[in-house]
Amino acid sequence: MTETLTSLPAPAWFAHPGARTWTCPPAPSEVHGFHASLPGYAPTPLTELPSLAEELKVGRVFVKDESCRLGLPAFKALGASWAVHRTLAERSGLAEREGLAERSGIAERLGIADRVGSQEADGSVTLITATDGNHGRAVARMARLLGQRAHVFVPEGVHPAATAAIAAEEARVTEVAGNYDEAVRQAADAVAATPAAVLIQDTAWPGYERIPGWIVEGYATLFAEIDTQLAAVDAGLPDLVAVPVGVGSLAQAAVTHYRSRPAGAAALLSVEPDSAAGVLASLTRQAPVTVTTGVTTMTGLNCGTPSTLAWPYLRDGLDAAIAVTDADSARAADDLAALGVPSGPCGAASLAGVRAALTGDGAAARRTALALGPDSTLVLLSTEGTAANPRHVANLS
């Protein structure tokens, strides 16, 4: 049973010196090819920002800009598209009969609704999920493209514009009087009460890990792109990758990518809101815990319980974890905008986290823990654009 904490243990920093010696198997090789076959696919920008390198006293800083991914303003479309594809292919029997890697184009890669629907009474499947905004919209988009239905549960605190964007994808939206964990519970309960329904959730718990695993696999494309983009500018492998964290699925994908290489490839830093730092609290306790979440402008990261699937990867493969304030994130978003990178509060959390780690009291020890020097290369994941999560300015005072 997961312990529940009502406050974050101090300090808001954790380091694991042995993380870079831990290894794991790589993600499936066919994921990138699947995404590359979708209409509208293009690698998202990796933007070098020399002024940040100067500020942080490192060699080079790059920001992976996920403000437009497959037509949506966040990275979540990568995981949702792959997981929905795998789920519907399995339901229709195509995975065994035709093979995933041999199919190409949206009609073949995703357009299997007719054959799936032939098994259902009214010709469609209902994709159900809970979301802080971006994942739910991505699932709803996939459902609409495939002629399926979507039902999305949204917790308190999600910006009305983000909720409206989900509804605009023709999804049914249920607003939950509770936090993200409660929305996940209600979504899971709804599956049992809905004919021909499947849960497409990006967090896992005992007994529900296969589909969250596919979502994590989908994120592998982001890191494959980074490898290619860094090589194109003679930057080599990064010395540090900063990852905004909610339940930890994207961080699991980062760990999978960099820990399936020779030891020492990159230090990995997770960044969370200080009001919802479930991963940091779990790392501090060395056991999964749930934290009682508060209000944060980083709504996509407002998750109190780490995914059970992600937890072993985070425990063993993350070099460090840090928590930041809404004000930290707001400043980072403004600074990124001034440098030409449109970033929402969650995306800007990576810059806020790196600033908190590499400056201020104790910075020298934190730099040593991350093995960073004046020539190091940093990659910051900006996981959403400004359109994904408009900021509640009033909450920043």
Side-chain angles (χ1 to χ4, degrees):
M1 183 175 180
T2 303
E3 180 185 4
T4 300
L5 302 178
T6 57
S7 61
L8 178 68
W13 162 263
F14 174 86
H16 175 204
R20 267 162 286 183
T21 64
W22 187 74
T23 60
C24 64
S29 59
E30 64 265 31
V31 175
H32 190 193
F34 165 78
H35 287 129
S37 75
L38 300 181
Y41 169 79
T44 55
L46 186 71
T47 304
E48 184 166 11
L49 299 176
S51 63
L52 289 183
E54 182 178 359
E55 174 194 338
L56 297 169
K57 296 180 173 56
V58 296
R60 304 177 79 171
V61 173
F62 296 86
V63 176
K64 183 63 168 167
D65 176 3
E66 292 290 310
S67 61
C68 185
R69 171 65 77 175
L70 291 171
L72 292 174
F75 77 102
K76 292 286 190 175
L78 292 173
S81 60
W82 179 247
V84 169
H85 170 53
R86 290 298 308 268
T87 298
L88 296 184
E90 184 175 83
R91 288 174 72 92
S92 66
L94 293 177
E96 291 76 14
R97 294 202 303 272
E98 299 180 23
L100 294 170
E102 297 176 359
R103 315 188 56 167
S104 61
I106 191 72
E108 293 79 16
R109 289 283 187 179
L110 292 175
I112 58 177
D114 290 343
R115 276 172 279 186
V116 174
S118 66
Q119 304 172 16
E120 315 299 351
D122 66 353
S124 65
V125 176
T126 300
L127 307 178
I128 296 178
T129 194
T131 186
D132 279 323
N134 295 327
H135 171 71
R137 186 176 179 186
V139 171
R141 172 67 63 87
M142 291 301 113
R144 181 172 63 78
L145 289 174
L146 294 170
Q148 308 299 306
R149 296 176 297 209
H151 186 181
V152 181
F153 288 76
V154 179
E156 292 177 336
V158 174
H159 195 285
T163 302
I166 296 169
E169 300 289 349
E170 302 176 9
R172 176 185 173 190
V173 176
T174 296
E175 297 188 46
V176 174
N179 63 13
Y180 174 79
D181 288 348
E182 175 61 18
V184 171
R185 186 190 67 77
Q186 291 192 25
D189 289 346
V191 172
T194 305
V198 61
L199 185 67
I200 307 292
Q201 198 57 59
D202 57 347
T203 188
W205 53 87
Y208 181 75
E209 294 184 331
R210 194 176 190 196
I211 289 174
W214 288 337
I215 289 172
V216 172
E217 288 176 1
Y219 299 151
T221 292
L222 186 155
F223 298 101
E225 291 175 359
I226 290 172
D227 287 348
T228 300
Q229 291 166 321
L230 288 176
V233 293
D234 297 321
L237 295 175
D239 298 293
L240 173 71
V241 178
V243 188
V245 168
V247 298
S249 294
L250 180 61
Q252 179 187 348
V255 170
T256 299
H257 185 78
Y258 292 105
R259 299 297 175 250
S260 59
R261 302 169 167 237
L268 302 175
L269 171 69
S270 73
V271 186
E272 297 170 279
D274 61 357
S275 59
V279 168
L280 176 55
S282 298
L283 291 170
T284 301
R285 294 292 188 96
Q286 283 296 284
V289 300
T290 293
V291 298
T292 301
T293 58
V295 175
T296 175
T297 55
M298 293 173 274
T299 53
L301 309 181
N302 196 16
C303 309
T305 306
S307 167
T308 58
L309 188 65
W311 168 244
Y313 291 80
L314 308 183
R315 178 196 62 209
D316 296 333
L318 283 177
D319 293 83
I322 200 163
V324 298
T325 67
D326 281 2
D328 294 333
S329 170
R331 177 193 165 207
D334 289 341
D335 291 345
L336 288 171
L339 294 170
V341 178
S343 185
C346 297
S350 58
L351 173 55
V354 167
R355 280 174 164 164
L358 303 188
T359 64
D361 292 342
R366 293 190 292 270
R367 284 176 181 267
T368 298
L370 295 169
L372 296 182
D375 297 323
S376 296
T377 296
L378 278 55
V379 172
L380 316 181
L381 304 188
S382 179
T383 50
E384 65 177 10
T386 52
N389 177 22
R391 280 189 276 161
H392 292 280
V393 177
N395 290 341
L396 300 179
S397 59

Short mmCIF file of all heavy atoms in Angstrom, two decimals, residues 40-66:
data_model
loop_
_atom_site.label_atom_id
_atom_site.label_comp_id
_atom_site.label_asym_id
_atom_site.label_seq_id
_atom_site.Cartn_x
_atom_site.Cartn_y
_atom_site.Cartn_z
N GLY A 40 1.93 14.74 -41.35
CA GLY A 40 2.25 15.88 -40.50
C GLY A 40 3.43 15.66 -39.58
O GLY A 40 3.81 16.58 -38.84
N TYR A 41 4.05 14.45 -39.63
CA TYR A 41 5.20 14.24 -38.76
C TYR A 41 6.39 15.06 -39.22
O TYR A 41 6.73 15.13 -40.40
CB TYR A 41 5.61 12.77 -38.72
CG TYR A 41 6.95 12.58 -38.03
CD1 TYR A 41 7.04 12.59 -36.65
CD2 TYR A 41 8.12 12.48 -38.78
CE1 TYR A 41 8.27 12.48 -36.02
CE2 TYR A 41 9.36 12.35 -38.15
CZ TYR A 41 9.43 12.36 -36.77
OH TYR A 41 10.64 12.26 -36.14
N ALA A 42 7.08 15.66 -38.28
CA ALA A 42 8.38 16.27 -38.48
C ALA A 42 9.07 16.33 -37.13
O ALA A 42 8.40 16.50 -36.10
CB ALA A 42 8.26 17.69 -39.06
N PRO A 43 10.37 16.16 -37.07
CA PRO A 43 11.06 16.32 -35.78
C PRO A 43 10.81 17.72 -35.22
O PRO A 43 10.84 18.70 -35.96
CB PRO A 43 12.53 16.12 -36.14
CG PRO A 43 12.52 15.34 -37.42
CD PRO A 43 11.30 15.81 -38.16
N THR A 44 10.54 17.81 -33.94
CA THR A 44 10.38 19.11 -33.30
C THR A 44 11.74 19.78 -33.14
O THR A 44 12.77 19.11 -33.10
CB THR A 44 9.69 18.98 -31.94
OG1 THR A 44 10.44 18.05 -31.13
CG2 THR A 44 8.26 18.49 -32.09
N PRO A 45 11.79 21.11 -33.06
CA PRO A 45 13.08 21.80 -33.04
C PRO A 45 13.91 21.49 -31.79
O PRO A 45 13.36 21.29 -30.69
CB PRO A 45 12.68 23.28 -33.05
CG PRO A 45 11.29 23.32 -33.57
CD PRO A 45 10.65 22.04 -33.11
N LEU A 46 15.20 21.46 -31.97
CA LEU A 46 16.16 21.46 -30.86
C LEU A 46 16.93 22.77 -31.00
O LEU A 46 17.80 22.91 -31.86
CB LEU A 46 17.09 20.26 -30.94
CG LEU A 46 18.04 20.11 -29.74
CD1 LEU A 46 17.27 19.69 -28.49
CD2 LEU A 46 19.14 19.09 -30.03
N THR A 47 16.60 23.72 -30.16
CA THR A 47 17.09 25.08 -30.30
C THR A 47 18.26 25.34 -29.35
O THR A 47 18.13 25.14 -28.13
CB THR A 47 15.97 26.09 -30.00
OG1 THR A 47 14.86 25.82 -30.88
CG2 THR A 47 16.45 27.52 -30.19
N GLU A 48 19.39 25.78 -29.88
CA GLU A 48 20.52 26.12 -29.03
C GLU A 48 20.38 27.54 -28.52
O GLU A 48 20.05 28.46 -29.28
CB GLU A 48 21.85 25.97 -29.77
CG GLU A 48 23.05 26.22 -28.86
CD GLU A 48 24.37 25.78 -29.44
OE1 GLU A 48 24.42 25.46 -30.65
OE2 GLU A 48 25.37 25.76 -28.68
N LEU A 49 20.62 27.74 -27.21
CA LEU A 49 20.47 29.04 -26.57
C LEU A 49 21.76 29.40 -25.84
O LEU A 49 21.94 29.09 -24.66
CB LEU A 49 19.28 29.03 -25.60
CG LEU A 49 17.91 28.74 -26.25
CD1 LEU A 49 16.82 28.65 -25.18
CD2 LEU A 49 17.57 29.80 -27.28
N PRO A 50 22.70 30.05 -26.54
CA PRO A 50 24.00 30.37 -25.93
C PRO A 50 23.89 31.25 -24.70
O PRO A 50 24.73 31.14 -23.79
CB PRO A 50 24.73 31.10 -27.07
CG PRO A 50 24.09 30.60 -28.32
CD PRO A 50 22.66 30.40 -27.97
N SER A 51 22.89 32.11 -24.63
CA SER A 51 22.77 32.98 -23.45
C SER A 51 22.48 32.17 -22.19
O SER A 51 22.95 32.53 -21.09
CB SER A 51 21.67 34.02 -23.67
OG SER A 51 20.41 33.41 -23.83
N LEU A 52 21.75 31.09 -22.32
CA LEU A 52 21.53 30.23 -21.16
C LEU A 52 22.79 29.47 -20.78
O LEU A 52 23.06 29.25 -19.60
CB LEU A 52 20.40 29.23 -21.45
CG LEU A 52 18.98 29.80 -21.53
CD1 LEU A 52 17.97 28.68 -21.73
CD2 LEU A 52 18.63 30.61 -20.28
N ALA A 53 23.58 29.07 -21.76
CA ALA A 53 24.85 28.41 -21.46
C ALA A 53 25.76 29.35 -20.67
O ALA A 53 26.42 28.95 -19.70
CB ALA A 53 25.53 27.97 -22.75
N GLU A 54 25.76 30.63 -21.07
CA GLU A 54 26.57 31.61 -20.34
C GLU A 54 26.05 31.80 -18.93
O GLU A 54 26.83 31.83 -17.97
CB GLU A 54 26.55 32.94 -21.10
CG GLU A 54 27.41 34.02 -20.45
CD GLU A 54 27.40 35.31 -21.26
OE1 GLU A 54 26.75 35.36 -22.32
OE2 GLU A 54 28.05 36.27 -20.80
N GLU A 55 24.73 31.91 -18.79
CA GLU A 55 24.13 32.09 -17.46
C GLU A 55 24.43 30.91 -16.54
O GLU A 55 24.77 31.10 -15.36
CB GLU A 55 22.61 32.24 -17.59
CG GLU A 55 21.88 32.27 -16.25
CD GLU A 55 20.38 32.08 -16.40
OE1 GLU A 55 19.84 32.32 -17.50
OE2 GLU A 55 19.73 31.68 -15.41
N LEU A 56 24.34 29.69 -17.08
CA LEU A 56 24.48 28.49 -16.27
C LEU A 56 25.93 28.01 -16.17
O LEU A 56 26.21 27.02 -15.50
CB LEU A 56 23.62 27.37 -16.85
CG LEU A 56 22.11 27.65 -16.84
CD1 LEU A 56 21.36 26.62 -17.68
CD2 LEU A 56 21.56 27.67 -15.42
N LYS A 57 26.83 28.72 -16.87
CA LYS A 57 28.27 28.41 -16.82
C LYS A 57 28.55 26.99 -17.29
O LYS A 57 29.28 26.21 -16.64
CB LYS A 57 28.83 28.66 -15.42
CG LYS A 57 28.76 30.12 -14.99
CD LYS A 57 29.34 30.32 -13.60
CE LYS A 57 29.43 31.80 -13.25
NZ LYS A 57 28.14 32.52 -13.36
N VAL A 58 27.97 26.65 -18.45
CA VAL A 58 28.23 25.37 -19.10
C VAL A 58 28.58 25.63 -20.56
O VAL A 58 28.54 26.78 -21.02
CB VAL A 58 27.03 24.41 -18.99
CG1 VAL A 58 26.76 24.05 -17.53
CG2 VAL A 58 25.78 25.02 -19.64
N GLY A 59 28.91 24.57 -21.30
CA GLY A 59 29.35 24.74 -22.68
C GLY A 59 28.24 25.09 -23.64
O GLY A 59 28.30 26.08 -24.37
N ARG A 60 27.18 24.26 -23.68
CA ARG A 60 26.08 24.46 -24.63
C ARG A 60 24.76 24.07 -23.97
O ARG A 60 24.72 23.12 -23.18
CB ARG A 60 26.30 23.63 -25.91
CG ARG A 60 27.62 23.90 -26.58
CD ARG A 60 27.84 23.02 -27.81
NE ARG A 60 27.10 23.52 -28.99
CZ ARG A 60 27.26 23.02 -30.21
NH1 ARG A 60 28.12 22.02 -30.43
NH2 ARG A 60 26.58 23.52 -31.22
N VAL A 61 23.71 24.80 -24.31
CA VAL A 61 22.36 24.49 -23.83
C VAL A 61 21.42 24.41 -25.02
O VAL A 61 21.38 25.32 -25.86
CB VAL A 61 21.85 25.54 -22.82
CG1 VAL A 61 20.38 25.28 -22.48
CG2 VAL A 61 22.70 25.53 -21.55
N PHE A 62 20.67 23.31 -25.09
CA PHE A 62 19.67 23.12 -26.14
C PHE A 62 18.31 22.91 -25.48
O PHE A 62 18.21 22.27 -24.42
CB PHE A 62 20.00 21.88 -26.98
CG PHE A 62 21.29 21.99 -27.75
CD1 PHE A 62 22.50 21.64 -27.16
CD2 PHE A 62 21.29 22.42 -29.07
CE1 PHE A 62 23.69 21.71 -27.87
CE2 PHE A 62 22.48 22.50 -29.79
CZ PHE A 62 23.67 22.15 -29.19
N VAL A 63 17.27 23.41 -26.13
CA VAL A 63 15.90 23.19 -25.67
C VAL A 63 15.14 22.42 -26.73
O VAL A 63 15.07 22.84 -27.89
CB VAL A 63 15.19 24.53 -25.36
CG1 VAL A 63 13.74 24.28 -24.97
CG2 VAL A 63 15.92 25.28 -24.25
N LYS A 64 14.58 21.28 -26.34
CA LYS A 64 13.73 20.49 -27.24
C LYS A 64 12.32 21.06 -27.16
O LYS A 64 11.65 20.94 -26.13
CB LYS A 64 13.76 19.02 -26.81
CG LYS A 64 12.97 18.07 -27.72
CD LYS A 64 13.51 18.01 -29.12
CE LYS A 64 12.89 16.83 -29.89
NZ LYS A 64 13.16 16.91 -31.34
N ASP A 65 11.88 21.69 -28.23
CA ASP A 65 10.65 22.49 -28.25
C ASP A 65 9.48 21.64 -28.74
O ASP A 65 9.33 21.40 -29.94
CB ASP A 65 10.88 23.69 -29.17
CG ASP A 65 9.66 24.56 -29.35
OD1 ASP A 65 8.62 24.28 -28.72
OD2 ASP A 65 9.73 25.53 -30.14
N GLU A 66 8.63 21.20 -27.80
CA GLU A 66 7.49 20.35 -28.13
C GLU A 66 6.19 21.16 -28.25
O GLU A 66 5.11 20.63 -28.00
CB GLU A 66 7.33 19.27 -27.06
CG GLU A 66 8.45 18.26 -27.05
CD GLU A 66 8.43 17.35 -28.28
OE1 GLU A 66 7.36 16.79 -28.59
OE2 GLU A 66 9.49 17.21 -28.93
#
